[in-house]
Amino acid sequence: MKQIYKRNLPLLGITEFFSFFGITAFWLLFLSQQGMSLWQIGILESLFHLTSLLSEVPSGVLADCFTYRRNLFLGRFVTIISALFMIFGNGIFFLYALGMIFSAWGYNFDSGTSQALLYETAKELKQESRYLTFISYLNGISEATRTLGMVVAGFLVHGWLIYTYHIQIVCSLLGILCIWGIKAPSIKMKKEESPTVLQIIQTVYQLFRKQSRLFYQMLMVQVMLTLITMYYFYYQSQLPYLQSWQISLMMLLSSGCNILAIYLANKIGQKTRRSWFYGVY
């Protein structure tokens, strides 16, 4: 049985590769090429984040009520639906809006699910102490696959971005095959009663009351992500003025820095106190 759970580790890595292949990273530019105006793209961007905000808790409840594998399946399934809406949108705002909604749901179902499944797998293997190492590898794979996807997408910027969604569908199907081979932890399977939405909200509230520093840390992360998203929104409009190899090289260098940061965070986290990280924030 232990060998079966060991198989989860590489399968989660491969699943992460196919799930987060950053081939559609230039979707803002794609929408612009499809005739969407700047204000329409802004509405679509807002729709994505609003849907994600409203669906984060319900998707987490589903993970608690059922299994992490099912959430991963749902994430890949709705991502395929989203890609189909983008492919057949043909300049129609309403279809792109549906594509953004389903894309947000795909993100919600994936959000934190692989990490939670990895932690419970580590518990089954009696290796909770190595979770930080496991998660750093998983994050490294996520960043590397985003890099590879963006590098490939960089060569499709000049009029071929629609094919990035065809590639995304293929990756999602391959991801589903990998998820099928993952063994659900028995700790999760033996759970008799699942918490209600109200119980989850109460638990989160009590946690933030006891650990206010955690709340401010999470808030700071969201502020940083907001600033990054704003930059990400506007810089894509300048990409058509660059050559394909320049775009791909820029994506490769920036993601290389992220991978290095993930590696250093793991090493620093193992050798220093956590308060050091709070100081950074």
Side-chain angles (χ1 to χ4, degrees):
M1 183 61 69
K2 187 175 181 179
Q3 293 299 321
I4 293 176
Y5 287 118
K6 279 186 176 181
R7 191 176 62 184
N8 280 4
L9 301 178
L11 282 175
L12 278 171
I14 299 173
T15 301
E16 202 79 356
F17 179 88
F18 289 124
S19 298
F20 293 96
F21 192 65
I23 193 65
T24 59
F26 302 133
W27 62 271
L28 294 173
L29 181 58
F30 167 75
L31 290 173
S32 177
Q33 293 176 349
Q34 296 300 308
M36 295 294 101
S37 63
L38 189 61
W39 71 268
Q40 287 176 315
I41 295 175
I43 292 176
L44 292 172
E45 170 85 7
S46 301
L47 184 61
F48 173 88
H49 291 292
L50 179 61
T51 303
S52 179
L53 175 65
L54 296 177
S55 304
E56 188 67 30
V57 172
S59 65
V61 172
L62 285 177
D64 284 328
C65 292
F66 301 108
T67 65
Y68 296 128
R69 286 177 72 246
R70 184 170 298 181
N71 257 32
L72 292 175
F73 275 127
L74 289 172
R76 293 304 87 219
F77 180 70
V78 297
T79 297
I80 291 173
I81 296 177
S82 171
L84 290 173
F85 276 121
M86 302 302 281
I87 291 172
F88 296 105
N90 197 28
I92 302 174
F93 178 82
F94 174 71
L95 293 180
Y96 291 139
L98 290 176
M100 299 306 293
I101 291 173
F102 277 92
S103 178
W105 284 340
Y107 167 78
N108 289 134
F109 284 123
D110 276 319
S111 178
T113 304
S114 296
Q115 292 81 353
L117 181 56
L118 179 62
Y119 179 74
E120 294 199 358
T121 297
K123 289 176 67 176
E124 292 283 2
L125 297 172
K126 309 299 182 184
Q127 297 188 31
E128 297 98 313
S129 60
R130 298 188 61 193
Y131 174 72
L132 188 60
T133 300
F134 292 152
I135 198 64
S136 67
Y137 286 133
L138 197 66
N139 290 337
I141 291 173
S142 299
E143 194 58 46
T145 189
R146 287 189 183 96
T147 301
L148 180 59
M150 288 189 290
V151 169
V152 174
F155 291 99
L156 302 174
V157 162
H158 301 289
W160 302 95
L161 284 176
I162 193 170
Y163 292 107
T164 61
Y165 290 97
H166 292 84
I167 297 174
Q168 186 181 56
I169 291 174
V170 173
C171 288
S172 294
L173 291 173
L174 292 174
I176 288 174
L177 292 177
C178 295
I179 296 168
W180 192 270
I182 294 175
K183 172 69 174 177
S186 60
I187 296 174
K188 185 72 178 175
M189 295 171 65
K190 292 178 181 177
K191 195 172 184 180
E192 294 181 356
E193 294 185 2
S194 299
T196 64
V197 175
L198 181 59
Q199 289 173 332
I200 293 174
I201 293 175
Q202 289 175 339
T203 301
V204 172
Y205 175 74
Q206 293 299 328
L207 176 63
F208 284 153
R209 285 194 61 183
K210 294 179 180 178
Q211 301 186 31
S212 58
R213 182 180 291 180
L214 175 62
F215 172 77
Y216 290 116
Q217 183 184 15
M218 294 176 67
L219 181 63
M220 181 60 67
V221 170
Q222 295 308 311
V223 171
M224 293 172 63
L225 289 175
T226 300
L227 296 175
I228 292 171
T229 300
M230 292 173 63
Y231 171 77
Y232 184 75
F233 181 81
Y234 289 105
Y235 96 97
Q236 286 196 27
S237 63
Q238 304 301 313
L239 293 183
Y241 299 104
L242 301 177
Q243 297 183 27
S244 296
W245 70 268
Q246 292 175 319
I247 299 172
S248 298
L249 180 61
M250 181 173 62
M251 296 299 101
L252 184 63
L253 292 176
S254 63
S255 297
C257 293
N258 288 338
I259 294 173
L260 178 62
I262 292 171
Y263 172 79
L264 292 176
N266 174 44
K267 294 299 181 182
I268 295 173
Q270 291 178 341
K271 297 180 180 180
T272 62
R273 296 181 302 173
R274 293 183 180 180
S275 58
W276 188 88
F277 286 101
Y278 292 126
V280 172
Y281 279 107

